[in-house]
Amino acid sequence: MARTRPLPIPTTDEAPTPLPTAARRRPATLLHRAAEHYRPRSLAALRISTGLIFLCFGALKLIPSASPAEHIAVQATTKLTFGLLQPHILLPALATAEICIGLALLTGILLRYALAAFYLHMTGVFASLLLLPDAMWQHGAPTLEGQYVLKNIVLIAACLAVTADELTPR
């Protein structure tokens, strides 16, 4: 059996040996630097990503049967408008509203109006949980359509951050 020598213990008189460059760049340090780089851009990232989601989902509603939420959106909006608007009017209007919200979030133009429209839209989206209980819930758990609605909590959180930034005086 080979004997190994113990590592020398540096005394206070000796200068520490410098670490190689790769050892100095620890992953935590790189992650911290990346986070510092991202932080001032984080609200713009939230605004733009939410805008892209709205733009894409709104555009899908303009293509017949392309949106998985099309029938739920029409049913909920029909109930919210007491049947005064027909589905052939509702869906393009809803799509246009979502596209306009998405474009405003993407560009930052008319952002305050878009955020107001966003919250109004989300009120209608979440109203579907109450207006269409059979489609949204099964045995107390959300159906796939209910999950589709509930995931909007993340979009609301993103827009709350964007709203707080937009309303904060500079």
Side-chain angles (χ1 to χ4, degrees), residues 5 12 40 57 96 109 113-114 135 149 160 166:
R5 285 192 276 166
T12 55
F57 284 166
T96 303
I109 298 170
Y113 295 106
V149 169
L160 283 171
E166 179 66 16

Side-chain angles (χ1 to χ4, degrees), residues 26-75:
R26 293 192 176 134
T29 305
L30 289 175
L31 288 175
H32 284 89
R33 289 196 350 227
E36 287 171 11
H37 179 74
Y38 173 72
R39 182 184 307 267
R41 296 161 181 82
S42 60
L43 287 167
L46 282 174
R47 182 176 53 77
I48 290 168
S49 60
T50 305
L52 283 171
I53 289 169
F54 261 76
L55 185 66
C56 292
F57 284 166
L60 280 177
K61 286 181 179 70
L62 291 175
I63 303 167
S65 300
S67 173
E70 182 177 314
H71 66 285
I72 294 294
V74 168
Q75 287 177 342

Side-chain angles (χ1 to χ4, degrees), residues 15-151:
T17 309
L19 294 171
T21 305
R24 275 186 260 148
R25 285 198 187 138
R26 293 192 176 134
T29 305
L30 289 175
L31 288 175
H32 284 89
R33 289 196 350 227
E36 287 171 11
H37 179 74
Y38 173 72
R39 182 184 307 267
R41 296 161 181 82
S42 60
L43 287 167
L46 282 174
R47 182 176 53 77
I48 290 168
S49 60
T50 305
L52 283 171
I53 289 169
F54 261 76
L55 185 66
C56 292
F57 284 166
L60 280 177
K61 286 181 179 70
L62 291 175
I63 303 167
S65 300
S67 173
E70 182 177 314
H71 66 285
I72 294 294
V74 168
Q75 287 177 342
T77 311
T78 299
K79 283 193 175 195
L80 283 170
T81 60
F82 304 104
L84 296 174
L85 297 175
Q86 297 300 311
H88 69 278
I89 296 171
L90 283 175
L91 204 55
L94 187 58
T96 303
E98 288 183 9
I99 290 170
C100 289
I101 292 168
L103 287 172
L105 286 166
L106 275 172
T107 63
I109 298 170
L110 300 174
L111 187 55
R112 290 182 183 199
Y113 295 106
L115 288 167
F118 168 83
Y119 293 118
L120 182 65
H121 177 66
M122 284 294 120
T123 301
V125 168
F126 277 91
S128 68
L129 293 171
L130 299 172
L131 295 172
L132 307 170
D134 293 339
M136 297 292 150
W137 307 98
Q138 184 176 21
H139 308 295
T143 62
L144 191 57
E145 289 85 357
Q147 293 172 38
Y148 192 82
V149 169
L150 290 171
K151 62 99 174 98

